[in-house]
Amino acid sequence: GAGVSQSPRYKVAKRGQDVALRCDPISGHVSLFWYQQALGQGPEFLTYFQNEAQLDKSGLPSDRFFAERPEGSVSTLKIQRTQQEDSAVYLCASSLEPGGYGYTFGSGTRLTVV
Amino acid sequence: KNEVEQSPQNLTAQEGEFITINCSYSVGISALHWLQQHPGGGIVSLFMLSSGKKKHGRLIATINIQEKHSSLHITASHPRDSAVYICAAPYSGGGADGLTFGKGTHLIIQP
């Protein structure tokens, strides 16, 4: 597609529910990043893929967070047993180059845990 | 981890004013990003620069690698420029492992 597509745009989950957030990067983009943006804050790095390989997951806040990109294109960020502190906007960005230069960001998924 | 600081945190100006937003970072980098985020909207990449100066329309970005400092300028500001402007630098300097973001500068341009 023309841009990075994220779905759903909004998600309300009950505490304890599992959620899955999808990122569809620009076709051919090698690098894919997930970020978490709390209200009023700048985004925080979660994880990075180069093609299907997850090269860095140091930003994932707990083992309830899991990301995958099995075929090197679409990526899914899964959060198990959601907690209120997980409420945030989850941003996906992709880049043609392995170094992540020239990022294109998706519009984000706003997750609200109630 | 790179630490990114932006100033000011909030800025309100009148239409037509020249705007400057500053960014400093702690670890030497390969490239720095300036991003724009409208309320409720996604993030748009404005500039990626590794040296000197870049210009796009009324936006100008400069970077001083030695001083680890960058500025974003808006000339002849307009209400549609109202947004959050975010500076971002590679997480550990190299760029291959994500970005560290500043907290953003909330800019309001009043007509």
Side-chain angles (χ1 to χ4, degrees), chain B residues 32-99:
Chain B
L32 182 129
H33 302 254
W34 280 102
L35 311 165
Q36 180 192 56
Q37 187 173 33
H38 283 279
I43 291 178
V44 174
S45 180
L46 298 175
F47 294 104
M48 183 181 72
L49 67 166
S50 55
S51 64
K53 175 178 167 178
K54 283 192 175 181
K55 184 175 188 295
H56 181 73
R58 295 179 295 103
L59 301 177
I60 303 166
T62 63
I63 189 167
N64 184 318
I65 296 294
Q66 288 72 32
E67 294 186 4
K68 298 187 178 63
H69 180 270
S70 177
S71 294
L72 177 69
H73 305 285
I74 306 175
T75 62
S77 58
H78 189 276
R80 64 174 174 268
D81 297 327
S82 299
V84 176
Y85 292 85
I86 304 172
C87 164
Y91 194 69
S92 61
D97 54 1
L99 297 176

Side-chain angles (χ1 to χ4, degrees), chain A residues 13-34:
Chain A
K14 291 185 179 178
R15 193 186 315 180
Q17 186 179 349
D18 296 350
V19 298
L21 312 180
R22 177 186 169 108
C23 173
D24 207 332
I26 293 174
S27 178
H29 275 200
V30 169
S31 297
L32 186 145
F33 299 83
W34 283 98

Side-chain angles (χ1 to χ4, degrees), chain A residues 4 6 9-10 37 43 89-92 104-110, chain B residues 35-45 83-84 86:
Chain A
V4 177
Q6 290 188 247
R9 185 74 178 89
Y10 302 95
Q37 185 175 23
V89 174
Y90 291 85
L91 293 164
C92 175
T104 300
F105 283 82
S107 295
T109 293
R110 181 176 296 278
Chain B
L35 311 165
Q36 180 192 56
Q37 187 173 33
H38 283 279
I43 291 178
V44 174
S45 180
V84 176
I86 304 172

Side-chain angles (χ1 to χ4, degrees), chain A residues 40-83:
Chain A
Q41 301 294 315
E44 295 280 344
F45 170 79
L46 292 178
T47 187
Y48 163 57
F49 289 88
Q50 184 172 317
N51 296 307
E52 69 277 7
Q54 189 174 20
L55 298 187
D56 189 340
K57 56 181 180 179
S58 61
L60 296 177
S62 77
D63 59 8
R64 296 186 294 104
F65 286 71
F66 172 76
E68 60 182 5
R69 193 186 186 198
E71 297 178 359
S73 55
V74 172
S75 178
T76 304
L77 176 67
K78 298 179 180 177
I79 309 173
Q80 297 177 321
R81 304 181 303 282
T82 52
Q83 303 294 315

Side-chain angles (χ1 to χ4, degrees), chain B residues 10-26:
Chain B
N10 297 285
L11 179 57
T12 300
Q14 294 298 121
E15 183 174 356
E17 285 190 40
F18 181 81
I19 303 299
T20 295
I21 300 170
N22 295 302
C23 173
S24 61
Y25 51 93
S26 59

